[in-house]
Amino acid sequence: MVELNGKRPWNVFTLGNFMTALRLVFGAVSIWLYFHQMFFMAALSFGIAGITDFFDGKVARWREKKNGNGISRFGEIFDPICDRLLIIPGMVIQPFLLVLIAIEGLATACALYVRKQKGHHFISKWSKVATFVQFPFITLLFLSRSPVEIWTCTVIICFSSAMRFSSYFWEIRKMEQMKLLKDVSKAA
């Protein structure tokens, strides 16, 4: 892809971004289906949303290799936002998951800080793991009827969000320690 001033263009209309947008559509449809007591279809719709999350980045990188029109700055921002928004169906089913707003908000703030400090898009591997864990357990929430199942899924989802936050927090801490070491070595 041609970069302008060392930065990717804000190309919105890419196949990867389209798949990311589909994720939001399937997430909204899953909520509608849940409220109409079509629990299996709601879980299926949410599962499809999770599959699009898995493939959107792969498709973007493949298109980038093939013709240089796959990865965009818009997609680098749009994809993680959609990941966070897709927690909303879980909150509809289990209101306790509203606690995730605070955890995910902190994680997003830390991720933005890391991005600004490093000067490039940075995704923690633990953030990817957290998203990978959250999708199936939110899908299971659509099918769960017993309190034990619901609370088990809830705890796992909250734990994975806390894992995402802590990974970015430790990345910030590591960056600050490196900065301090540079300052000390310059002073010496």
Side-chain angles (χ1 to χ4, degrees):
M1 171 173 279
V2 177
E3 295 189 4
L4 307 171
N5 301 327
K7 294 187 178 186
R8 292 185 187 286
W10 283 85
N11 189 356
V12 175
F13 301 105
T14 66
L15 185 57
N17 291 343
F18 175 73
M19 291 178 75
T20 302
L22 274 179
R23 186 174 349 145
L24 287 179
V25 171
F26 280 109
V29 167
S30 68
I31 293 171
W32 185 86
L33 290 167
Y34 181 80
F35 280 124
H36 287 83
Q37 298 185 354
M38 294 185 240
F39 303 119
F40 179 76
M41 294 303 292
L44 183 64
S45 178
F46 193 83
I48 292 170
I51 290 168
T52 63
D53 180 48
F54 178 76
F55 284 109
D56 62 356
K58 292 187 182 329
V59 166
R61 286 184 290 280
W62 172 73
R63 296 279 298 176
E64 185 70 23
K65 267 189 199 176
K66 185 176 177 186
N67 65 4
N69 186 23
I71 299 173
S72 69
R73 288 176 65 201
F74 175 79
E76 288 176 347
I77 295 168
F78 186 51
D79 182 62
I81 288 171
C82 289
D83 287 346
R84 304 308 173 273
L85 289 175
L86 221 55
I87 295 170
I88 291 171
M91 290 181 217
V92 168
I93 299 166
Q94 172 56 302
F96 180 76
L97 286 176
L98 286 171
V99 117
L100 290 179
I101 292 174
I103 298 170
E104 291 292 343
L106 288 170
T108 302
C110 288
L112 290 171
Y113 178 80
V114 169
R115 178 185 175 136
K116 183 173 184 192
Q117 295 300 312
K118 289 192 173 213
H120 62 83
H121 187 62
F122 174 80
I123 298 177
S124 156
K125 73 175 180 176
W126 291 109
S127 180
K128 290 258 185 213
V129 170
T131 301
F132 181 77
V133 167
Q134 285 176 338
F135 275 116
F137 282 98
I138 292 174
T139 303
L140 284 174
L141 273 177
F142 283 106
L143 301 172
S144 299
R145 294 291 153 251
S146 80
V148 171
E149 290 171 350
I150 290 170
W151 281 102
T152 302
C153 290
T154 301
V155 167
I156 291 169
I157 293 165
C158 286
F159 178 76
S160 64
S161 284
M163 183 174 61
R164 179 189 333 272
F165 165 70
S166 65
S167 71
Y168 285 116
F169 176 81
W170 288 109
E171 185 65 28
I172 289 172
R173 196 175 151 126
K174 185 171 77 175
M175 287 172 21
E176 295 299 323
Q177 287 174 343
M178 294 300 287
K179 189 192 246 183
L180 185 61
L181 285 174
K182 280 183 186 177
D183 292 345
V184 168
S185 65
K186 283 181 184 178

